[in-house]
Amino acid sequence: MSALRILVVGDLVTDVLVTRAGAVVPGSDTEAEIRIGGGGQAANTAAWLAHAGVAATLIAAAGDDLAGQQRVAELNAAGVDCAVRHHPGAATGSIVVLSSAGDRTMITDRGAALLLDPVDVQQAVKAAPQSVHLHLSGYPLLHAGSRPGGLAALAAARERGLTTSVDAASAGPLRAVGDFLELVRGVDVLLCNADEAEVLAGPGSAGEQAGVLRTYAKNVVVKRGAHGAVWRSSDGRLYSSAAVRVPSIDATGAGDAFAAGLLAAWLGGKGPEAALRAGAEMGAAAVRKIGARP
């Protein structure tokens, strides 16, 4: 296990993963394989970090129900330390993921994830003195209930002198949150995919979009799927990396795995190009299997 410890803040939910080979047939039957297991952007990234040999602590909120207990037990078994508050009377969030080889659509009930408490977050950050970095899933910032918890995470990290990163999370909710970039201003790394980059920076090449977003974050990574990824660094330089070509079975969790690989490499002392390659390799490992976790 690496000497690094990364705090990951955000969502822990149950994924109902529906993997289909063809299009959904409205008003009729569509054959698919259905699996139930752990999900949530933050939880997935923490699991991939542990898989990479990096000590990871997940800070999240869940229900005081069987699903919440099972989701924490899965992460503990994967080597993730959990600072998860179980809220009595609340249901652990759940997401129906309609997945195919190239894409996925999510139908979301965030449940107890919306109850992420600023005090819980601050205490968990203070209780991990050996940590060096805090990674925040963007989802808490996209919802009024959990936004104070997400902001508290970034504030607590700054107070402790930790480096920080934020994953922009999802293009649809970003369109409804007009001040997202102000909420994350000053973070060390902002990660977004092509759709999210267009919402946040407008049309243009990935390099141009990353340049626009550099106004808000010290480093910006734009993921372009099969076209690779770019990194605009704090000194304005642009780095790029090609995608790792593998047969894709299920895209669920690929971005979360990419973030884990990139952060493990970058915080381990690697430069932007090497970090992009590490992210691409871990993302490729994710799409070769069904499900969001290693």
Side-chain angles (χ1 to χ4, degrees), residues 129-159:
Q130 71 278 36
S131 57
V132 299
H133 182 85
L134 184 140
H135 177 68
L136 174 66
S137 164
Y139 281 109
L141 299 177
L142 301 179
H143 299 273
S146 52
R147 189 172 300 134
L151 293 175
L154 293 176
R158 285 193 295 269
E159 183 179 338

Side-chain angles (χ1 to χ4, degrees), residues 7-93:
L7 305 177
V8 186
V9 182
D11 44 336
L12 171 62
V13 302
T14 298
D15 273 357
V16 180
L17 179 61
V18 181
T19 307
R20 67 197 193 284
V24 173
V25 182
S28 187
D29 290 350
T30 301
E31 291 190 6
E33 182 176 345
I34 301 175
R35 297 187 182 187
I36 298 175
Q41 186 180 66
N44 296 341
T45 298
W48 283 103
L49 283 168
H51 181 69
V54 176
T57 298
L58 174 70
I59 303 172
D64 188 19
D65 53 11
L66 179 60
Q69 296 168 12
Q70 290 175 332
R71 302 293 80 85
V72 169
E74 290 164 351
L75 288 170
N76 287 337
V80 176
D81 295 323
C82 291
V84 175
R85 167 88 173 273
H86 293 271
H87 291 266
T92 298

Side-chain angles (χ1 to χ4, degrees), residues 70-209:
Q70 290 175 332
R71 302 293 80 85
V72 169
E74 290 164 351
L75 288 170
N76 287 337
V80 176
D81 295 323
C82 291
V84 175
R85 167 88 173 273
H86 293 271
H87 291 266
T92 298
S94 56
I95 298 177
V96 177
V97 184
L98 305 178
S99 177
S100 62
D103 199 6
R104 81 279 185 276
T105 298
M106 295 176 288
I107 303 169
T108 304
D109 176 359
R110 308 218 68 78
L114 297 178
L115 302 177
L116 185 69
D117 187 270
V119 174
D120 292 341
V121 172
Q122 292 165 345
Q123 290 177 344
V125 173
K126 292 178 180 178
Q130 71 278 36
S131 57
V132 299
H133 182 85
L134 184 140
H135 177 68
L136 174 66
S137 164
Y139 281 109
L141 299 177
L142 301 179
H143 299 273
S146 52
R147 189 172 300 134
L151 293 175
L154 293 176
R158 285 193 295 269
E159 183 179 338
R160 284 201 44 207
L162 307 183
T163 52
T164 55
S165 55
V166 173
D167 195 314
S170 183
L174 280 174
R175 293 189 181 95
V177 181
D179 60 348
F180 180 84
L181 289 173
E182 289 297 337
L183 297 177
V184 303
R185 182 183 286 276
V187 299
D188 292 283
V189 183
L190 173 64
L191 300 102
C192 50
N193 65 24
D195 291 339
E196 295 152 6
E198 185 161 359
V199 172
L200 294 173
S205 70
E208 291 168 342
Q209 291 168 330

